[in-house]
Structure formats: structure tokens, C-alpha cells
Amino acid sequence: MLSQTILTLFLGLAYLSQQVESVGFAEELYCGLENCYDVLEIDRGEFDKQKLSKLYRTAAKKHHPDRVRTSDPVKAEAEKKFRLIATAYETLKDDEVREEYNYYLDHPEERFYNYYQYYRRRAAPKVDLRLVILGTIAAISVFQYWSAKSKYAEALSYALTVGKFRNQAIAEGVQRGKKVASTPKFPFRGGYKRESIYDTLIWQCIVLPLNTYHYIIWYIKWTMKYTVRREEYDEEAKLYLIRKHMGMGENQFNCLSDAEHYEFLDEELWVKANYDEWKKLKDQEEREKLAKSGKYKRYKRWLKNNEGSTISFLDEED
């Protein structure tokens, strides 16, 4: 009984395998059981793309459903023929699709691959991906610009309420012959600096090749000067190494005051060992300062009484 079941299963698998590997047109692909070239009455060996549109119009006009005024079955057949003509035209007019179709005609035994090619093409997005990427970059750039503009206006509004900044605006206005400068320019840095097209993503994409070239040149010079010839670091190189040790971006590092930069240089933080020691001391100072904070002590008591919960707090200034 078992051997008979196994034999039946084997014969069934053999039959399915034969059906899968059988050659010929697939009803679900392209023009179904017909050849797209024959549908448009085109000789594949003498295919001329320049004449394709004319042949399509001729066939479509000849078999257009509106020309049929008889019974419904005949009209339905005409509509089916018209759709077939349109499918044949869409298949042959695109060079890549026509190449895939020609492969399908020449290799009907590769059924799975032909199915993949056909449905991959149908599922591919119709919109040009390049336009989507360009539109996304443009939208992000506009958002960046207006966000920076809003933040700068917010910082400017606040600065005019602070005495020393207002006095600076008055001094600037006096130089211009006005009582108060209408648009004073404060040296805001970081996230509140003045908006600029040069800080947007679209500009960064435009200058990326140039920036890449400059970086390569800079890296070669750096290697030759400080690695090969082993020259002493100048101030700019020292600040670069310090910024690298701190893990800061260029704009973030430049937002620090000149006094802080000079402090870093005095501490010789471009030397990794010196930076590690300095960082260790700074972290210890922060922990000691935090331990003396009244809000932090209240937080610790609250956390002890509410184990597993967290709250946010602000450090008190000494």
C-alpha cells in the first residue's frame, strides 16, 4: 500500500514537472497565446521602430470596437482584439520590454525566469525615480531654509529684549544714522544662525564633487606634511585634532568661544593622552556639580521612592 502511494506521488510530481517545463506561450504573459509581432503583422526579422506607430494605428483603426454595430458577442470579440493590439504595441515600442519579449520567444523553456521578468516590469514604478529624488531633496532644502529663518527670527526677537544685545543694536543704528537698527545683525551661531542657501541639502549635493576633491587634496597634504615629513602641527591642525577627539562637527566646534579654543590649546588636547585625562577630569567635575544640585538630590529621592520610573530635571546653577 505504501509503495503504491509513493509511486502515485512520484508520477504526480513528474507530471507537474513536465507541465512547468513545457514550452510555448503562456496565457498570462504579454499577448497571451499569440505572437505580438503577428498581432501587428510585423516581421520580427525586419522590425522597424519608426514604422511601429503607423502599423499600430492602422490595426487599431481596423479593429476598433466602435466600428462594430452587430450583436454583443461580436462586439466583445472586437474589444478583446483591440486590447490585444494595444498590448502588442506597448510590448514592442519600449526597447527594454521588447528585448525581454524577444528572450521570451527564444527561450520559452525558461518559464520561471520569463514570469519574473514580466511581473518585475509590471510592478516597477512608472514615475522617474530621478524626479522623485530631486523633488525630495528640494522639499527638504525648502524646509531647512524656512526652519533656519524662523529660528533666527526667534533668536533675534529674544536678543532685542536683552540689554547688552539691544545696546549693540542701538550702536549699530547710530552708525547707520538711525535710532535703532531695523535689522541688526547679531553673530548667532549654531542652530540659531542666520538662514543661508549654502546650508541646505540641495546646495550640499551640488558642491559634493568639489568638496570631495578638496578633501582628497587636503588629506594628501596632511599625510605628506604630518605623517611623511613629521612636521610639527600648526594651530589649525591642532584644533582639527582636538575637534576630532571631541567628536564634534566643524560648525559645532566653531560655535565654541575663542577663549575655549585657547584653553584647549593651552591644555595641549591635540595629544590623545592629554585629551583623555582632561576629559576624565571634566566628567568628574560634572558629577561633583551634579551631586551638589538640589534638584538632582530631589530626583534621586524621588527615584528611590518610585523605582523603575524616570523624570526630567534641570541642574541648578551654583
Side-chain angles (χ1 to χ4, degrees), residues 279-296:
K279 183 70 165 58
K280 184 178 179 181
L281 292 175
K282 285 294 182 181
D283 291 343
Q284 181 64 29
E285 290 178 5
E286 288 297 323
R287 286 193 293 269
E288 292 176 356
K289 180 180 177 180
L290 192 61
K292 297 177 181 178
S293 169
K295 288 187 177 181
Y296 178 70

Side-chain angles (χ1 to χ4, degrees), residues 75-312:
K75 190 173 184 65
E77 186 66 25
E79 291 175 350
K80 182 179 179 181
K81 180 68 174 179
F82 184 77
R83 287 195 297 270
L84 183 61
I85 292 171
T87 300
Y89 174 69
E90 292 295 327
T91 301
L92 300 179
K93 75 172 184 177
D94 186 279
D95 293 337
E96 293 183 2
V97 177
R98 187 174 68 256
E99 183 178 349
E100 293 171 2
Y101 179 67
N102 289 337
Y103 187 91
Y104 164 72
L105 294 178
D106 297 334
H107 303 84
E109 72 282 359
E110 298 184 21
R111 184 59 56 89
F112 290 128
Y113 177 76
N114 291 326
Y115 267 94
Y116 164 74
Q117 287 288 75
Y118 177 77
Y119 286 107
R120 178 188 64 84
R121 179 72 59 179
R122 288 176 63 89
K126 304 301 181 183
V127 181
D128 191 336
L129 187 59
R130 293 170 296 183
L131 296 178
V132 175
I133 295 175
L134 181 60
T136 302
I137 293 176
I140 293 175
S141 300
V142 170
F143 175 79
Q144 287 178 318
Y145 184 85
W146 286 107
S147 177
K149 186 179 181 67
S150 176
K151 287 184 177 181
Y152 178 79
E154 178 184 346
L156 184 61
S157 176
Y158 170 77
L160 290 176
T161 64
V162 180
K164 64 177 182 179
F165 292 134
R166 182 169 179 80
N167 292 337
Q168 180 180 341
I170 293 174
E172 182 181 346
V174 170
Q175 293 178 356
R176 296 183 182 182
K178 300 178 181 179
K179 184 177 180 181
V180 179
S182 57
T183 56
K185 296 181 179 179
F186 295 112
F188 296 131
R189 294 183 292 183
Y192 290 91
K193 67 178 182 178
R194 194 178 187 89
E195 71 280 358
S196 172
I197 187 66
Y198 302 117
D199 296 325
T200 60
L201 178 61
I202 193 169
W203 179 259
Q204 296 303 319
C205 292
I206 293 173
V207 300
L208 178 61
L210 182 61
N211 288 341
T212 303
Y213 169 76
H214 286 162
Y215 174 77
I216 294 174
I217 297 300
W218 171 86
Y219 184 79
I220 294 173
K221 290 181 178 179
W222 176 282
T223 303
M224 292 298 299
K225 186 174 182 180
Y226 300 118
T227 303
V228 178
R229 296 198 294 265
R230 296 185 178 278
E231 298 181 13
E232 290 189 6
Y233 296 118
D234 56 21
E235 183 175 300
E236 182 179 354
K238 291 176 181 178
L239 290 175
Y240 167 75
L241 290 173
I242 294 171
R243 175 168 65 85
K244 185 178 179 181
H245 294 331
M246 291 183 171
M248 290 185 174
E250 184 176 359
N251 290 335
Q252 185 181 7
F253 188 77
N254 290 338
C255 287
L256 301 177
S257 64
D258 292 338
E260 290 176 293
H261 290 168
Y262 289 133
E263 178 188 350
F264 299 154
L265 293 172
D266 292 339
E267 297 286 345
E268 299 185 356
L269 299 187
W270 65 87
V271 180
K272 190 63 167 65
N274 294 344
Y275 171 77
D276 291 339
E277 184 65 24
W278 176 86
K279 183 70 165 58
K280 184 178 179 181
L281 292 175
K282 285 294 182 181
D283 291 343
Q284 181 64 29
E285 290 178 5
E286 288 297 323
R287 286 193 293 269
E288 292 176 356
K289 180 180 177 180
L290 192 61
K292 297 177 181 178
S293 169
K295 288 187 177 181
Y296 178 70
K297 292 178 180 178
R298 289 195 296 272
Y299 165 73
K300 294 291 289 184
R301 287 195 297 269
W302 183 91
L303 192 61
K304 183 178 180 180
N305 297 329
N306 300 271
E307 187 176 355
S309 302
T310 58
I311 59 173
S312 60

